[in-house]
Amino acid sequence: MESHRSLAPLALELAALPPSLGPVRLIGIDGHAGSGKSTFAGRLAEALGGVPVLHLDDVATHEELFAWPERLRTQVLEPLAAGRPAHWAPYDWVERRFGPARVLEPAPVLLVEGVGAGRRALRPHLARLLWMETPRAQSWGRGRNRDGRELSDFWDGWERAELAHFSDDPSRPFADTLVHQSGTGYEWSSGAGATAGRAGSVTEGDGLPRA
Protein backbone atom coordinates (compact mmCIF):
# COMPACT_ATOMS: atom_id res chain seq x y z
CA MET A 1 0.00 0.00 0.00
CA GLU A 2 1.37 3.36 -1.03
CA SER A 3 0.65 6.34 1.22
CA HIS A 4 -0.13 9.94 0.24
CA ARG A 5 -1.04 13.06 2.19
CA SER A 6 -3.74 14.18 -0.21
CA LEU A 7 -6.29 12.97 -2.72
CA ALA A 8 -4.17 14.35 -5.55
CA PRO A 9 -3.28 10.93 -7.04
CA LEU A 10 -6.93 9.96 -7.34
CA ALA A 11 -7.79 13.40 -8.69
CA LEU A 12 -5.15 13.06 -11.40
CA GLU A 13 -6.46 9.64 -12.31
CA LEU A 14 -10.03 10.91 -12.64
CA ALA A 15 -9.09 14.06 -14.55
CA ALA A 16 -7.25 11.93 -17.13
CA LEU A 17 -10.35 9.87 -17.95
CA PRO A 18 -12.10 10.45 -21.28
CA PRO A 19 -15.30 12.54 -21.14
CA SER A 20 -18.43 10.49 -20.54
CA LEU A 21 -21.26 13.04 -20.85
CA GLY A 22 -20.59 15.47 -23.70
CA PRO A 23 -17.45 17.34 -22.58
CA VAL A 24 -17.97 16.27 -18.94
CA ARG A 25 -16.27 13.52 -16.96
CA LEU A 26 -19.15 12.52 -14.68
CA ILE A 27 -17.86 10.82 -11.53
CA GLY A 28 -20.41 8.98 -9.36
CA ILE A 29 -19.92 8.57 -5.61
CA ASP A 30 -22.38 6.07 -4.16
CA GLY A 31 -22.81 4.25 -0.86
CA HIS A 32 -25.23 3.79 1.98
CA ALA A 33 -26.80 6.81 3.65
CA GLY A 34 -24.39 8.08 6.30
CA SER A 35 -21.31 6.50 4.70
CA GLY A 36 -19.45 9.80 4.29
CA LYS A 37 -20.15 10.47 0.62
CA SER A 38 -20.71 14.22 0.95
CA THR A 39 -17.54 14.82 2.96
CA PHE A 40 -15.46 12.70 0.62
CA ALA A 41 -16.96 14.40 -2.44
CA GLY A 42 -16.12 17.81 -1.02
CA ARG A 43 -12.50 16.88 -0.42
CA LEU A 44 -12.17 15.21 -3.80
CA ALA A 45 -13.69 18.29 -5.46
CA GLU A 46 -11.03 20.44 -3.78
CA ALA A 47 -8.28 18.09 -4.96
CA LEU A 48 -9.68 18.45 -8.48
CA GLY A 49 -9.35 22.23 -8.31
CA GLY A 50 -12.81 23.10 -7.04
CA VAL A 51 -14.99 21.18 -9.49
CA PRO A 52 -18.77 21.24 -8.94
CA VAL A 53 -20.60 18.63 -6.88
CA LEU A 54 -24.20 17.66 -7.55
CA HIS A 55 -25.85 16.22 -4.43
CA LEU A 56 -28.64 13.77 -5.19
CA ASP A 57 -30.34 14.84 -1.95
CA ASP A 58 -31.14 18.01 -3.90
CA VAL A 59 -32.78 15.98 -6.68
CA ALA A 60 -34.84 13.61 -4.53
CA THR A 61 -37.98 14.59 -2.61
CA HIS A 62 -39.95 13.26 0.35
CA GLU A 63 -42.33 11.55 -2.06
CA GLU A 64 -39.63 10.45 -4.54
CA LEU A 65 -36.67 9.19 -2.55
CA PHE A 66 -35.45 7.23 -5.58
CA ALA A 67 -37.93 8.06 -8.35
CA TRP A 68 -35.88 10.98 -9.70
CA PRO A 69 -33.99 9.63 -12.77
CA GLU A 70 -36.30 11.30 -15.31
CA ARG A 71 -35.97 14.69 -13.59
CA LEU A 72 -32.19 14.32 -13.48
CA ARG A 73 -32.11 13.29 -17.14
CA THR A 74 -34.11 16.23 -18.45
CA GLN A 75 -32.73 18.94 -16.16
CA VAL A 76 -29.07 17.90 -15.96
CA LEU A 77 -27.88 15.01 -18.10
CA GLU A 78 -29.33 16.02 -21.46
CA PRO A 79 -28.10 19.64 -21.38
CA LEU A 80 -24.61 18.65 -20.24
CA ALA A 81 -24.44 15.93 -22.89
CA ALA A 82 -25.08 18.64 -25.47
CA GLY A 83 -22.38 20.86 -23.95
CA ARG A 84 -24.96 23.32 -22.59
CA PRO A 85 -25.39 24.60 -19.02
CA ALA A 86 -27.94 22.66 -16.99
CA HIS A 87 -30.72 24.52 -15.21
CA TRP A 88 -32.13 22.63 -12.26
CA ALA A 89 -34.05 23.38 -9.06
CA PRO A 90 -32.81 21.85 -5.77
CA TYR A 91 -35.38 20.43 -3.38
CA ASP A 92 -35.85 22.15 -0.01
CA TRP A 93 -36.33 19.40 2.60
CA VAL A 94 -37.64 21.87 5.19
CA GLU A 95 -40.13 23.71 2.96
CA ARG A 96 -40.93 20.49 1.09
CA ARG A 97 -40.77 22.18 -2.30
CA PHE A 98 -38.28 22.95 -5.05
CA GLY A 99 -36.28 26.12 -4.60
CA PRO A 100 -34.91 28.67 -7.09
CA ALA A 101 -33.25 27.33 -10.21
CA ARG A 102 -29.48 26.96 -10.31
CA VAL A 103 -27.07 26.73 -13.22
CA LEU A 104 -24.60 23.88 -13.60
CA GLU A 105 -21.94 24.51 -16.24
CA PRO A 106 -20.51 21.64 -18.32
CA ALA A 107 -17.24 21.51 -16.35
CA PRO A 108 -14.47 19.09 -17.35
CA VAL A 109 -15.21 17.07 -14.18
CA LEU A 110 -18.51 16.90 -12.28
CA LEU A 111 -19.00 14.84 -9.14
CA VAL A 112 -22.47 13.44 -8.48
CA GLU A 113 -22.83 12.03 -4.98
CA GLY A 114 -25.66 10.32 -3.18
CA VAL A 115 -27.41 7.02 -2.72
CA GLY A 116 -28.17 5.85 -6.22
CA ALA A 117 -25.34 7.66 -8.01
CA GLY A 118 -24.36 4.33 -9.52
CA ARG A 119 -27.85 3.15 -10.47
CA ARG A 120 -28.45 1.68 -13.90
CA ALA A 121 -30.01 4.90 -15.22
CA LEU A 122 -26.79 6.81 -14.53
CA ARG A 123 -24.06 4.24 -15.18
CA PRO A 124 -23.95 4.73 -18.97
CA HIS A 125 -23.08 8.40 -18.36
CA LEU A 126 -20.37 7.86 -15.73
CA ALA A 127 -16.66 8.03 -16.41
CA ARG A 128 -16.01 6.34 -13.04
CA LEU A 129 -18.13 4.96 -10.20
CA LEU A 130 -16.77 5.16 -6.67
CA TRP A 131 -18.39 3.26 -3.79
CA MET A 132 -17.94 4.22 -0.13
CA GLU A 133 -17.06 0.91 1.49
CA THR A 134 -18.72 1.51 4.86
CA PRO A 135 -21.00 -1.24 6.21
CA ARG A 136 -24.71 -0.51 6.03
CA ALA A 137 -25.38 -0.75 9.77
CA GLN A 138 -22.46 1.55 10.56
CA SER A 139 -23.55 4.05 7.91
CA TRP A 140 -27.16 4.12 9.05
CA GLY A 141 -26.07 4.48 12.68
CA ARG A 142 -24.01 7.53 11.73
CA GLY A 143 -26.93 9.02 9.86
CA ARG A 144 -29.36 8.55 12.73
CA ASN A 145 -26.90 10.03 15.24
CA ARG A 146 -26.28 12.98 12.94
CA ASP A 147 -29.94 13.78 12.35
CA GLY A 148 -31.24 13.19 15.87
CA ARG A 149 -34.37 11.61 17.27
CA GLU A 150 -36.70 14.10 15.60
CA LEU A 151 -35.94 12.44 12.25
CA SER A 152 -36.26 8.89 13.53
CA ASP A 153 -39.48 8.28 11.58
CA PHE A 154 -37.87 9.58 8.41
CA TRP A 155 -34.94 7.20 8.88
CA ASP A 156 -37.30 4.26 9.40
CA GLY A 157 -38.85 5.00 6.02
CA TRP A 158 -35.49 5.73 4.41
CA GLU A 159 -33.96 2.42 5.48
CA ARG A 160 -36.85 0.48 3.94
CA ALA A 161 -36.58 2.52 0.74
CA GLU A 162 -32.80 2.11 0.49
CA LEU A 163 -33.01 -1.64 1.03
CA ALA A 164 -35.61 -1.91 -1.71
CA HIS A 165 -33.58 0.28 -4.05
CA PHE A 166 -30.31 -1.60 -3.73
CA SER A 167 -32.13 -4.93 -3.89
CA ASP A 168 -33.53 -3.98 -7.28
CA ASP A 169 -30.70 -1.78 -8.56
CA PRO A 170 -27.36 -2.43 -6.79
CA SER A 171 -24.40 -0.12 -7.37
CA ARG A 172 -21.47 -1.75 -5.59
CA PRO A 173 -21.00 -4.66 -8.07
CA PHE A 174 -20.43 -2.07 -10.81
CA ALA A 175 -18.04 0.18 -8.88
CA ASP A 176 -14.67 0.91 -10.48
CA THR A 177 -13.19 2.14 -7.21
CA LEU A 178 -13.85 1.23 -3.58
CA VAL A 179 -13.15 3.93 -1.00
CA HIS A 180 -12.38 2.88 2.58
CA GLN A 181 -12.17 5.12 5.63
CA SER A 182 -9.25 4.41 7.92
CA GLY A 183 -7.57 5.97 10.92
CA THR A 184 -5.41 8.03 8.57
CA GLY A 185 -8.17 9.17 6.22
CA TYR A 186 -9.06 7.36 3.01
CA GLU A 187 -7.76 4.34 1.16
CA TRP A 188 -9.02 3.24 -2.23
CA SER A 189 -8.59 0.42 -4.70
CA SER A 190 -9.31 0.85 -8.40
CA GLY A 191 -9.37 -1.17 -11.54
CA ALA A 192 -10.38 -4.74 -12.33
CA GLY A 193 -11.33 -6.59 -9.20
CA ALA A 194 -11.91 -3.44 -7.17
CA THR A 195 -15.12 -4.80 -5.71
CA ALA A 196 -13.13 -7.76 -4.45
CA GLY A 197 -10.98 -5.33 -2.46
CA ARG A 198 -7.67 -5.97 -4.20
CA ALA A 199 -4.55 -4.01 -3.41
CA GLY A 200 -3.52 -0.73 -5.04
CA SER A 201 -4.74 1.48 -2.24
CA VAL A 202 -3.49 4.89 -1.22
CA THR A 203 -4.22 6.97 1.83
CA GLU A 204 -5.60 10.47 2.30
CA GLY A 205 -4.42 11.74 5.65
CA ASP A 206 -6.58 14.78 6.37
CA GLY A 207 -8.70 12.97 8.97
CA LEU A 208 -11.88 10.98 9.01
CA PRO A 209 -15.00 12.40 7.38
CA ARG A 210 -17.90 13.67 9.42
CA ALA A 211 -20.82 11.34 10.00
Side-chain angles (χ1 to χ4, degrees):
M1 183 182 298
E2 187 177 1
S3 296
H4 294 273
R5 296 297 298 175
S6 74
L7 287 168
L10 180 59
L12 288 172
E13 181 182 332
L14 298 177
L17 294 171
S20 59
L21 183 69
V24 179
R25 293 156 183 83
L26 188 64
I27 309 298
I29 302 174
D30 206 337
H32 298 292
S35 61
K37 298 180 298 299
S38 296
T39 299
F40 176 75
R43 293 181 179 175
L44 182 57
E46 291 179 3
L48 283 159
V51 303
V53 180
L54 177 63
H55 303 281
L56 291 177
D57 283 351
D58 292 336
V59 179
T61 71
H62 283 89
E63 294 75 26
E64 298 176 316
L65 294 178
F66 291 100
W68 41 256
E70 181 65 15
R71 181 162 55 251
L72 183 69
R73 182 183 67 82
T74 57
Q75 293 186 357
V76 177
L77 300 180
E78 288 184 350
L80 295 182
R84 304 192 310 268
H87 297 265
W88 65 288
Y91 183 69
D92 188 320
W93 287 86
V94 175
E95 299 293 333
R96 301 179 76 98
R97 59 179 174 80
F98 290 103
R102 296 182 184 176
V103 178
L104 189 61
E105 298 289 342
V109 179
L110 168 63
L111 306 183
V112 55
E113 72 84 17
V115 181
R119 65 191 304 170
R120 64 175 66 96
L122 267 70
R123 285 197 298 272
H125 309 292
L126 297 177
R128 177 71 59 87
L129 174 58
L130 285 65
W131 173 268
M132 303 300 294
E133 189 74 337
T134 305
R136 183 177 65 204
Q138 180 182 345
S139 297
W140 286 355
R142 284 181 182 176
R144 284 183 178 271
N145 290 336
R146 175 192 64 204
D147 293 340
R149 297 185 55 148
E150 61 273 16
L151 290 180
S152 178
D153 289 345
F154 172 82
W155 268 94
D156 290 344
W158 172 268
E159 290 178 3
R160 291 191 295 270
E162 185 181 306
L163 279 174
H165 167 71
F166 280 136
S167 176
D168 174 66
D169 194 353
S171 296
R172 187 184 182 278
F174 301 95
D176 307 290
T177 301
L178 298 183
V179 180
H180 302 257
Q181 301 169 21
S182 71
T184 54
Y186 298 104
E187 300 173 354
W188 62 90
S189 54
S190 300
T195 53
R198 293 184 180 176
S201 301
V202 281
T203 300
E204 193 278 320
D206 295 331
L208 289 171
R210 297 183 299 276

